[in-house]
Amino acid sequence: SQELEQSPQSLIVQEGKNLTINCTSSKTLYGLYWYKQKYGEGLIFLMMLQKGGEEKSHEKITAKLDEKKQQSSLHITASQPSHAGIYLCGVNAGNNRKLIWGLGTSLAVNP
Amino acid sequence: GAGVSQSPSNKVTEKGKDVELRCDPISGHTALYWYRQSLGQGLEFLIYFQGNSAPDKSGLPSDRFSAERTGGSVSTLTIQRTQQEDSAVYLCASSRQGAMGANVLTFGAGSRLTVL
């Protein structure tokens, strides 16, 4: 099974609606990263969370880290078509330099 | 350069041929990573460079895959005797340093490889 589970797998929302994407790890989190990917482009860094309870925002996107639940949630307020893409979470699963990645959440925002 | 540059952006090859994929990282970034992204598989780690050395090659799927980095800058991923299951998008990323907690990676747009 995947070490990192993302839910939902895909999401279609109407423009202006709020939404939440979750990322749950089966192992202790040492750091969690959120990236966004559009078709034909590389991954764009959104946020890095390192401490339990930490919350960061990037424009209308907010992410929180719950260390006890080994989970992070990414919340988009008043979604726009520009928010469409694939959202990926990655974690440092231990003392190594490679990130473990979730399978991603595909988001479509209908105007 | 301003970003991570990868070439070619698209490569179609016949089974059994060798391919080379190139990555030009951000100037000054000492850490360089190769990942593979396949449909439904997520991002798969291939290899990590710190400077010119590769302390972690654990993700290379077979001995047909190799990578090198010269001058602490450009890296080349070589796939010999390509197979259809090698078809994927190969992503390169670089970061300022490889220490844990500082893994803010900047990705290139990727090289899409199709093996017929």
Side-chain angles (χ1 to χ4, degrees):
Chain A
S1 64
Q2 276 290 117
E3 287 187 29
L4 211 53
E5 296 280 349
Q6 281 190 243
S7 62
Q9 200 170 15
S10 64
L11 195 53
I12 302 173
V13 299
Q14 283 299 120
E15 183 176 355
K17 295 294 185 184
N18 302 337
L19 63 106
T20 300
I21 297 168
N22 291 306
C23 175
T24 304
S25 173
S26 60
K27 297 185 176 182
T28 303
L29 291 173
Y30 292 100
L32 187 139
Y33 303 77
W34 283 101
Y35 282 78
K36 179 186 172 186
Q37 185 178 30
K38 290 201 165 185
Y39 181 76
E41 299 178 18
L43 280 70
I44 298 166
F45 171 74
L46 295 176
M47 278 167 281
M48 175 176 69
L49 303 167
Q50 288 188 283
K51 299 175 185 176
E54 188 172 12
E55 180 175 323
K56 286 190 177 176
S57 292
H58 172 76
E59 297 175 347
K60 289 186 178 179
I61 303 174
T62 301
K64 299 179 186 179
L65 181 64
D66 187 329
E67 215 168 42
K68 288 181 181 176
K69 290 184 180 178
Q70 297 176 178
Q71 182 181 71
S72 176
S73 58
L74 185 138
H75 185 76
I76 299 178
T77 304
S79 57
Q80 300 292 314
S82 61
H83 287 129
I86 299 172
Y87 289 81
L88 288 145
C89 64
V91 296
N92 274 322
N95 188 20
N96 58 49
R97 293 176 176 83
K98 60 189 181 212
L99 299 182
I100 307 296
W101 297 91
L103 292 181
T105 294
S106 177
L107 172 65
V109 180
N110 291 332
Chain B
V4 177
S5 177
Q6 289 189 248
S7 61
S9 55
N10 272 290
K11 176 73 177 178
V12 180
T13 190
E14 292 179 348
K15 178 181 171 181
K17 300 283 188 184
D18 297 352
V19 296
E20 281 191 353
L21 307 176
R22 177 190 166 107
C23 173
D24 201 342
I26 291 174
S27 178
H29 279 193
T30 57
L32 185 147
Y33 303 76
W34 282 99
Y35 284 88
R36 180 166 71 173
Q37 188 175 33
S38 306
L39 197 61
Q41 297 293 317
L43 275 169
E44 177 187 3
F45 169 81
L46 298 178
I47 188 169
Y48 154 69
F49 287 93
Q50 181 63 32
N52 288 337
S53 64
D56 192 343
K57 305 179 184 179
S58 62
L60 294 177
S62 75
D63 58 9
R64 296 187 295 105
F65 287 72
S66 62
E68 64 175 14
R69 188 180 185 193
T70 55
S73 180
V74 173
S75 175
T76 302
L77 177 69
T78 302
I79 309 172
Q80 295 178 309
R81 305 180 302 281
T82 52
Q83 303 293 313
Q84 287 182 333
E85 62 262 27
D86 298 336
S87 297
V89 176
Y90 289 82
L91 290 165
C92 176
S94 68
S95 70
R96 195 173 300 278
Q97 59 183 5
M100 189 180 73
N103 271 25
V104 179
L105 306 180
T106 302
F107 281 83
S111 291
R112 181 177 295 276
L113 175 65
T114 304
V115 182
L116 302 176

